[in-house]
Amino acid sequence: MAGPSRIKVNNHHTFYYQYETTLLDALEVQEIPAPYNCRGGYCGCCKVRLIEGEVEYVQESLLDLQDDEILTCCCIPKTHIELELPEE
């Protein structure tokens, strides 16, 4: 894919991935409250629903995930993506 990936979150926020280390880092740069704890793929706190698109894991997760779940602390967008984060 050419150019930065578009990230849409809960139909409220849209921004472009700027090559941060992880998707969680990108959400934090945008000041979008995203759940997390360990940042290592162990606890599952950063698990969100991937509605559309593909991600690439930069470190392996130790959790079993459903087909529509990703860990934001372990991946980066591979295409334009749409996420559903838990509402506060």
Side-chain angles (χ1 to χ4, degrees):
M1 145 164 236
S5 299
R6 182 184 65 246
I7 301 171
K8 187 173 184 180
V9 181
N10 291 354
N11 289 321
H12 300 296
H13 305 282
T14 301
F15 66 96
Y16 287 88
Y17 177 72
Q18 297 298 317
Y19 310 104
E20 291 86 2
T21 306
T22 65
L23 184 52
L24 177 57
D25 293 330
L27 293 166
E28 289 179 329
V29 166
Q30 296 296 317
E31 298 181 356
I32 297 172
Y36 73 91
N37 192 18
C38 72
R39 290 188 178 266
Y42 306 112
C43 72
C45 289
C46 70
K47 181 172 47 176
V48 300
R49 185 169 167 234
L50 179 65
I51 296 171
E52 185 176 308
E54 294 179 45
V55 296
E56 175 182 336
Y57 278 86
V58 293
Q59 76 183 46
E60 199 168 321
S61 162
L62 298 177
L63 296 176
D64 289 328
L65 300 170
Q66 301 295 320
D67 289 340
D68 66 345
E69 294 175 332
I70 63 169
L71 297 180
T72 61
C73 78
C74 298
C75 67
I76 58 173
K78 191 172 179 181
T79 64
H80 296 313
I81 62 173
E82 184 173 347
L83 304 174
E84 182 180 288
L85 272 64
E87 297 286 338
E88 294 182 295

